[in-house]
Every structure is written in C-alpha cells, then in structure tokens.
C-alpha cells in the first residue's frame, strides 16, 4: 500500500516575487492539481493532508472549488483523501468534508478530539490512521497530551496526523514536542505547520512535510510531498514525492582576487550554481557576491544589468555585495600595531572576544533548555557573527591602508 503525505498547501495563495509569466504556475492550486495527478499516476492508495490545506486570508472561496475537484478526481481513481485541519482551515475544512462521503474525504478529529479510522486492504484492516483537527484557529495546549495512549495489541501499524508547532511550548498554534511524539505508540507521525520540510528518523519517525510548493523567498530549498509504503505490516519512513516546479534559492558566489571583472564570467558563475541545483522549471535566485578583488567598482558595474537576465529556468530576484579590495595582508600587518591586530583577527578572533561569544552561546543554550525549547545547541562556529566581524575587519583594513 502506498500513502502520499503532505500539508500546508495554503490553497488560494500565489508564490511571491515571480515574474508575470510565472504567476499562474506559481498559484498553489496549480501545485495541488499537479499533486493530484501525480498521486493518481503513481497509483497510490491514500492521500493524507495534515492541515492548512486552505489559506484563510487568500481567495478562500475560489480555492474551495479546485480542492473539491481534486478530491473528486482522486475518489474516481479509487484513492481516499484523509485530512486534519490546521490553524488556517479550522472552519473551512469541515465545510469541504460535508460535501463528500467518508470514503472519498475524511476529516479526522473534528471538534479537537482524537479520532481513529481503520484502513482496509482486501477486506482486512491493515492500518490505523489517527488524527486531531484544530477546532478554532488558536490552540494553546499540546493536543498530543490527550492522545489515547493505549498501544494496540493487534500489531497493526498506526499513522497519526496532527498540525502544530514543534519545540515552541508557548505557541498559540498547538505546541508539540518531538520527544513526546516519539514516546507515543504509533509507527509514524505526519505533522504540518512549518513550511520547511524536516524528517526526524526513529521509531516512530516524525515528518514535517513542509509546503509542497514554496510560497516566498523565505522558503528556499527543496519542497515536495512525501510517500511511504505499507508493506507486510511495516510502515516505511517517507521519501520525497512530486518535487515542486518552483524553487527559491540563496546563492553565494565567491569571486577570487585573480579573476578579471566580466559580465560573462559572472553569468558563468550563476549558471554553474543553477546547474548544481536539482532540475526545477522555475528558480528564483537571491545572489550574494563575496570576495576580495582588485576592482570592486568594475565588479559592481558588471552586475548592473544582471537582474534583467532571464535565460528561461531562473530569474534573479535580488543581488547583494560583500566585495572588498584585495589587500596584501602580510604587508599591511607590518604597517602598524592596529593593522597587525586586525590582520591577526581575520584568522582568529582575539581570545577575550571569543570567550565573550562563548559565554553568550552558553547563556542562550541554557535559556532554551530552561524554557523547554527543543532547539539544537548553538555553537560559536555557527554564529553569523564571524562573517560580520570579518566584513568589519576588512572595512577597517581598507581605511587604514
Ligand atoms: Mn499552520
């Protein structure tokens, strides 16, 4: 049995910062139509959607028609859709559910109570799907605290669905704890709410599927739905399914000091970076140029008309610079004690500054722990501060030399 998993389609929204020619393809209902077709083409058995399927702010009523048409198309192909509502569609999804028989579309856990449905294969129950839906647009308590925590003795796997905010105990959008989710007797969790996909392995695995179609430049990287297999009573960890046709990407281009300023050279850098990405029809790029170069102004001039360059599968949404004049650092360090200190600091920050930053990290980590937030430990090397310090030091060197 094949089960496709997704959430956060936000039907009604259109992805932002797109050129006119990509606007229609950037509508979330187009992504939904593609997903429906892919589910049918792949002959999946179930489609599970974990909330925020409809966006409450954008074109809600226009989005309902395409959602219903998709559910109907799946039903005609013998595929059942199961869903829970999120904070965006707490009130609209029950209306959609009322239009369909249970075997076409099942909204699980209405009124904020956990509900279980049995899925059958050739007359035998092969899977339980548990779900909980947002009863209103805000919920301050972790809904899994009321999960009926009774392990089934029949060995039938359980897929559980809930929309919520993992690792944020004071969230008004159903706070969740990954550790608590993994302590419950289920085989896999399908979450929703966070648009960046994340799969936490283990037993049970926990999938935040992410939006299957990115909605703005704040959602860079891979976006897709997921698929898992139920084979001989085992629910496999999910795999990516139906990749998005749109991608936002931040690209850093490092210019070397020997490289002569040239528009063609710059274009080649960008093309190489795009070629390294997974093949996607529409790429929206935020480009960041950095390096120490002989002719900073000439490089800036090369970028002037670059934003209108659109060779087909990508556009340049923005360009930023972190270019500094190439300085012979060894020579510069010999011109005075301040210069020597700055050059040394480029390699390694002064010890007292490092110690202060370490203390700061520890303080933040303790606070996270105290607040019960499950954020990964913050390490000094990961702080963006080092690149900022480097930029300041280089600026200072420019002034001094
Ligand atoms: Mn949400």
């Amino acid at each position: 049995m094949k089960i496709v998993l997704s959430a956060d389609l936000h039907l009604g929204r259109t992805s932002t910062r797109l050129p006119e020619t990509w606007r229609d393809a950037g509508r979330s209902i187009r992504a939904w139509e593609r997903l429906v077709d892919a589910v049918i083409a792949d002959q999946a058995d179930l489609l599970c959607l974990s909330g925020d399927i409809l966006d409450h702010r954008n074109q809600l009523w226009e989005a309902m028609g395409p959602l219903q048409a998709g559910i109907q198309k799946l039903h005609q192909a013998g595929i059942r859709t199961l869903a829970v509502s999120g904070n965006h569609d707490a009130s609209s999804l029950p209306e959609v559910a009322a239009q369909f028989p249970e075997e076409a579309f099942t909204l699980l856990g209405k009124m904020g109570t956990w509900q279980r449905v049995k899925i059958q294969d050739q007359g035998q129950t092969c899977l339980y799907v548990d779900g909980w839906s947002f009863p209103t647009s805000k919920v301050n308590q972790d809904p899994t605290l009321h999960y009926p925590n009774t392990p089934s003795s029949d060995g039938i796997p359980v897929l559980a669905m809930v929309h919520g905010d993992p690792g944020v105990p004071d969230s008004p959008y159903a706070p969740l704890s990954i550790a608590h989710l993994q302590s419950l007797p289920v085989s896999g969790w399908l979450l929703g709410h966070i648009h960046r996909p994340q799969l936490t392995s283990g037993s049970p695995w926990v999938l935040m599927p992410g939006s299957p179609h990115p909605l703005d430049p704040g959602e860079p990287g891979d976006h897709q739905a997921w698929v898992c297999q139920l084979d001989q009573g085992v629910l496999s960890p999910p795999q990516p399914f139906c990749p998005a046709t749109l991608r936002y990407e931040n690209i850093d281009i490092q210019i070397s000091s020997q490289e002569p300023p040239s528009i063609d050279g710059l274009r080649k850098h960008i093309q190489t970076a795009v070629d390294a990405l997974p093949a996607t029809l529409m790429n929206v790029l935020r480009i960041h140029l950095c390096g120490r170069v002989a002719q900073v102004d000439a490089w800036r001039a090369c970028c002037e008309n670059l934003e209108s360059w659109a060779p087909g599968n990508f556009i340049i949404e923005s360009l930023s610079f972190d270019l500094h004049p190439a300085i012979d650092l060894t020579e510069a360090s010999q011109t005075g004690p301040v210069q020597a200190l700055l050059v040394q600091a480029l390699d390694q920050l002064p010890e007292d500054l490092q110690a202060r930053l370490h203390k700061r990290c520890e303080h933040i980590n303790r606070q996270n722990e105290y607040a019960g937030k499950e954020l990964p430990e913050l390490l000094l090397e990961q702080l963006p501060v080092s690149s900022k310090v480097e930029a300041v030091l280089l600026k200072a060197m420019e002034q001094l030399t």
Side-chain angles (χ1 to χ4, degrees), residues 29-361:
I29 56 170
R30 297 285 174 255
W32 162 244
E33 289 161 355
R34 280 186 66 242
L35 179 60
V36 167
D37 289 343
V39 170
I40 293 170
D42 213 55
Q43 300 181 322
D45 300 276
L46 290 177
L47 171 62
C48 294
L49 302 172
S50 196
D52 287 2
I53 299 151
L54 291 159
D55 189 279
H56 81 95
R57 283 179 303 243
N58 295 275
Q59 317 290 322
L60 174 61
W61 305 108
E62 287 90 327
M64 274 197 168
L67 175 58
Q68 288 172 0
I71 294 167
Q72 187 61 27
K73 197 170 175 184
L74 289 164
H75 179 50
Q76 278 161 359
I79 300 161
R80 182 175 182 181
T81 304
L82 296 158
V84 294
S85 57
N87 48 304
H88 269 262
D89 48 15
S91 58
S92 54
L93 217 50
E95 283 186 47
V96 175
Q99 314 290 319
F100 290 98
E102 288 272 309
E103 63 272 20
F105 182 69
T106 312
L107 178 62
L108 283 159
K110 276 178 265 194
M111 312 297 288
T113 52
W114 283 93
Q115 183 190 349
R116 168 167 289 187
V117 294
K118 296 175 182 174
I119 304 297
Q120 300 211 317
D121 185 25
Q122 294 166 356
Q124 300 273 321
T125 298
C126 62
L127 175 73
Y128 295 130
V129 181
D130 290 349
W132 175 94
S133 282
F134 267 67
T136 53
S137 61
K138 285 191 179 170
V139 171
N140 292 307
Q141 236 202 358
D142 180 346
T144 63
L145 297 176
H146 309 289
Y147 181 79
N149 191 357
T150 40
S152 55
S153 53
D154 52 17
I156 291 171
V158 180
L159 172 66
M161 297 161 69
V162 66
H163 191 94
D165 209 353
V168 188
D170 51 358
S171 173
Y173 304 116
L176 299 171
S177 150
I178 300 284
H180 180 65
L181 290 170
Q182 290 195 310
S183 74
L184 294 168
V186 310
S187 316
W189 280 99
L190 172 61
L191 310 183
H193 191 61
I194 307 295
H195 292 189
R196 178 192 291 265
Q198 190 178 2
L199 175 62
T200 307
S201 57
S203 182
W205 46 260
V206 181
L207 174 68
M208 183 60 81
S211 44
H213 170 79
L215 295 164
D216 60 57
E219 301 179 10
D222 293 334
H223 284 262
Q224 68 276 306
W226 298 76
V227 65
C228 67
Q229 304 272 349
L230 175 61
D231 197 16
Q232 296 180 334
V234 177
L235 194 64
S236 71
Q239 302 283 326
F241 178 78
C242 189
T245 53
L246 171 66
R247 181 184 193 92
Y248 294 97
E249 196 65 42
N250 299 315
I251 290 179
D252 286 340
I253 292 176
Q254 182 79 36
I255 309 282
S256 79
S257 59
Q258 282 87 39
E259 201 173 336
S262 115
I263 298 177
D264 283 345
L266 196 50
R267 288 182 172 181
K268 218 173 263 174
H269 274 295
I270 295 168
Q271 190 66 57
T272 307
V274 173
D275 291 346
L277 298 172
T280 307
L281 288 174
M282 304 174 283
N283 293 282
V284 177
L285 311 180
R286 280 194 170 172
I287 292 176
H288 182 70
L289 285 187
C290 45
R292 296 175 205 176
V293 296
Q295 298 160 272
V296 173
D297 291 341
W299 274 108
R300 279 183 180 266
C302 288
C303 295
E304 253 155 41
N305 297 311
L306 209 59
E307 283 176 66
S308 60
W309 180 43
N313 67 336
F314 66 84
I315 60 146
I316 296 166
E317 191 254 336
S318 73
L319 252 170
S320 60
F321 302 89
D322 197 6
L323 292 174
H324 298 275
I327 300 167
D328 184 331
L329 292 175
T330 323
E331 208 173 278
S333 68
Q334 286 155 6
T335 54
V338 178
Q339 288 87 335
L341 185 70
L342 288 171
V343 170
Q344 215 180 356
L346 279 175
D347 254 349
Q348 197 169 26
L349 292 174
E351 271 178 23
D352 53 338
L353 182 56
Q354 277 198 54
R356 272 160 64 191
L357 288 168
H358 261 300
K359 261 198 182 146
R360 195 71 212 144
C361 278

